[in-house]
Amino acid sequence: MSSSEQPYIDPSEIALEGSAAERFTSPNDAFWTGIRDAAGAPAMVLFAGMVGFGAMGKTNGFDVWFTTFTSFLMFALPGQVVLLEMAITGSSVVAIALAVTLTSTRFITMTVTLFPQFHQKDRNRSLYASVHLLAMTAWAISMREFHAIETKHRLAYFVGLGLLCWLISIPGTILGFYLAGMVPPAVTLGLVFINPLFFLLTFTEVKPWINRIALMLGCIFGPIFFIVDRDTSLLTSGLVAGTLAYLIDRKFLRKKPGVIG
């Protein structure tokens, strides 16, 4: 049967593993579990990244209000870094808006893969508020955990997870702003890149092999395309690696029994 002939399966209706249906007793329980899951390594890593960003803002002459409000309103570290870098070079507002928008296109695929896994009754206009909590860390952990969470409790778990990550980014930015100059620049830049590294390590635990293949191919093609054209290397390496991973998954992995594609 070709992919076009296969019946549509609602992601929220996929059977849970084991006794996952008994994991939470109520949405409130799921919410606080999400808070607890975020309170460990995810929050600490995100906090460290925002400390680096806050220091970057202070070093480049931005005030604490502007730097902090980017974390509060945007909550997207790559986009925030692009915003500061382009503002420093004196780029126009239109150019900055376009560049930040392009860096945020990843949220499209993150949204269409995560939100359909919520219960049907939760897919309403309230998701417009919840989507602000969507970040790399919360998305990767949710993708890893949702297979073991009853559908009706997934949104509450995600909100708890994302809410703490969002709230912790604000004091992290402020602290980094006032610590600027007390740590070497190399340490500041290292803190900014801790969060993407944590995301990559977390995402390798997501079950479908296609994700791991895409990451591996990205590591291979990234340096190659950087040598060819550094300005477009991130976009082209992601496009090529993702497309090849998709083709490998479609042509080979999904034909093998027992392999989750």
Side-chain angles (χ1 to χ4, degrees):
M1 180 181 293
S2 65
S3 58
S4 61
E5 297 174 338
Q6 293 177 357
Y8 170 74
I9 300 177
D10 191 320
S12 68
E13 297 176 356
I14 298 176
L16 297 173
E17 294 187 359
S19 58
E22 307 298 329
R23 181 172 177 180
F24 302 124
T25 58
S26 66
N28 188 57
D29 182 24
F31 172 81
W32 286 107
T33 300
I35 291 282
R36 288 192 294 271
D37 286 354
M44 289 189 292
V45 169
L46 184 60
F47 185 84
M50 288 302 179
V51 167
F53 174 75
M56 180 184 297
K58 173 69 175 294
T59 303
N60 289 285
F62 296 94
D63 62 39
V64 66
W65 292 104
F66 178 84
T67 306
T68 303
F69 266 97
T70 61
S71 296
F72 181 79
L73 298 175
M74 292 177 63
F75 187 43
L77 191 53
Q80 292 172 242
V81 172
V82 169
L83 172 63
L84 291 194
E85 289 182 343
M86 295 193 69
I88 293 169
T89 59
S91 301
S92 67
V93 174
V94 174
I96 293 175
L98 179 60
V100 172
T101 300
L102 289 175
T103 65
S104 301
T105 54
R106 69 188 184 281
F107 288 112
I108 297 175
T109 54
M110 292 164 66
T111 300
V112 299
T113 54
L114 184 69
F115 282 28
Q117 299 184 59
F118 294 145
H119 195 280
Q120 190 78 36
K121 68 179 179 63
D122 292 326
R123 299 182 217 168
N124 50 48
R125 293 181 180 179
S126 65
L127 287 181
Y128 286 108
S130 302
V131 76
H132 184 61
L133 305 177
L134 186 64
M136 291 190 299
T137 303
W139 177 77
I141 295 176
S142 296
M143 290 290 288
R144 185 187 67 190
E145 297 294 330
F146 272 9
H147 74 280
I149 298 176
E150 191 174 11
T151 309
K152 65 181 180 180
H153 293 148
R154 289 175 181 173
L155 179 59
Y157 177 85
F158 168 77
V159 170
L161 181 69
L163 183 62
L164 182 62
C165 289
W166 175 50
L167 293 177
I168 203 69
S169 69
I170 299 168
T173 304
I174 297 173
L175 178 64
F177 186 90
Y178 288 109
L179 287 179
M182 298 182 185
V183 294
V187 175
T188 299
L189 292 175
L191 291 174
V192 173
F193 286 99
I194 283 179
N195 194 44
L197 179 60
F198 177 78
F199 160 74
L200 290 176
L201 295 176
T202 301
F203 199 49
T204 57
E205 298 181 23
V206 178
K207 284 204 166 185
W209 266 95
I210 183 175
N211 302 317
R212 303 174 190 179
I213 294 173
L215 288 174
M216 180 182 66
L217 291 176
C219 291
I220 295 173
F221 285 108
I224 296 175
F225 284 111
F226 182 82
I227 295 173
V228 175
D229 182 11
R230 61 185 301 174
D231 292 332
T232 62
S233 59
L234 186 61
L235 176 62
T236 52
S237 58
L239 179 62
V240 173
T243 302
L244 286 178
Y246 174 80
L247 293 175
I248 292 172
D249 177 61
R250 283 291 180 179
K251 295 292 184 180
F252 302 104
L253 294 184
R254 297 203 180 194
K255 293 183 179 181
K256 295 182 179 181
V259 177
I260 301 178

